[in-house]
Amino acid sequence: MDSTVLNKFTQLFEQTSAGGMFTPGAVILSLLLAFVLGQVIAWVYYFTHSGLSYSRSYVQSLILITVVVAMVMGVIGNNIITAVGLMGALALVRFRNVIKDTRDVVFIFCSLVVGMASGSQRYLTAIIGTVILCAIAIYLHITNFGMHEPHNAFLRFSLKGHITGEHPVSGILKRFCGNFALISAQDSGFGTSLVEYAYQLMVKNTDKNEQMLAELQKIEGIENISLTMQEQLLEV
């Protein structure tokens, strides 16, 4: 019994993988495959995501977009008139969410293409394309491809008086940073001796950020210390 079902499923896959008839079984297979491949894309996005802009609804949308597009392709089928009418209907929809990260746009585009391939019964194209795209995304994440950071952190604080060459601040930065550069130093302008400093840093070991901030906090007269990393924000 199980082998018979498997054989029928295999025959259905082979018949529709080249873009065959849109039978109920083929449509169900397209939607299920779109659901599975959409989850693969969403999991890869989740695994490779970095930064502060993570959104649970966005990850779920990657799956839903893949399935919806597959269903749209099933609705269109080989009917050009239906396709034109559907395009007109979708033109009335307005999406107001602004996606700032180009990488997020790429994942949406991947979901759209995989959904189109699944819905048009190009199953092998959908599967192979998903595997290759996900493998590339994982490779880029693991290797940090394109990473170029002359500085990876931004330090701000207020201090009474000006920093000289032998000041404790300079000594601490030399210990924890490969290099650092003073960006600005300006008086607060509120009738006090406080000077606001801004530094660009190349932190040697990000695991010691809290230790560096703790030692800076011990310096007399220092206030409002904040350290902004490229991928995360750590404040004291």
Side-chain angles (χ1 to χ4, degrees), residues 42-53:
W43 273 109
V44 171
Y45 174 84
Y46 175 83
F47 173 73
T48 61
H49 181 270
S50 59
L52 300 173
S53 60

Side-chain angles (χ1 to χ4, degrees), residues 67-163:
V67 177
V68 169
V69 172
M71 185 169 62
V72 169
M73 297 301 296
V75 172
I76 294 175
N78 297 320
N79 194 323
I80 297 179
I81 296 177
T82 304
V84 174
L86 189 59
M87 288 176 60
L90 293 177
L92 299 177
V93 181
R94 296 291 183 268
F95 300 97
R96 301 186 181 277
N97 286 348
V98 178
I99 301 178
K100 299 180 180 180
D101 193 339
T102 306
R103 187 174 177 276
D104 291 351
V105 177
V106 172
F107 270 88
I108 290 180
F109 188 71
C110 289
S111 296
L112 291 173
V113 174
V114 171
M116 292 175 65
S118 300
S120 61
Q121 301 177 13
R122 269 69 177 181
Y123 298 146
L124 291 178
T125 301
I127 295 172
I128 295 174
T130 300
V131 171
I132 293 177
L133 289 171
C134 291
I136 293 173
I138 293 174
Y139 161 76
L140 296 176
H141 172 72
I142 294 176
T143 61
N144 284 327
F145 185 84
M147 185 69 68
H148 179 67
E149 299 179 16
H151 299 91
N152 63 359
F154 186 70
L155 176 68
R156 296 180 64 92
F157 59 87
S158 299
L159 181 67
K160 293 181 179 179
H162 294 276
I163 296 177

Side-chain angles (χ1 to χ4, degrees), residues 51-73:
L52 300 173
S53 60
Y54 177 80
S55 171
R56 174 172 171 264
S57 62
Y58 174 82
V59 175
Q60 294 181 354
S61 296
L62 292 176
I63 302 174
L64 294 173
I65 287 173
T66 310
V67 177
V68 169
V69 172
M71 185 169 62
V72 169
M73 297 301 296

Side-chain angles (χ1 to χ4, degrees), residues 2-15:
D2 294 339
S3 60
T4 303
V5 174
L6 180 60
N7 290 334
K8 289 183 179 180
F9 180 83
T10 304
Q11 292 175 1
L12 178 62
F13 184 89
E14 292 175 348
Q15 291 172 359

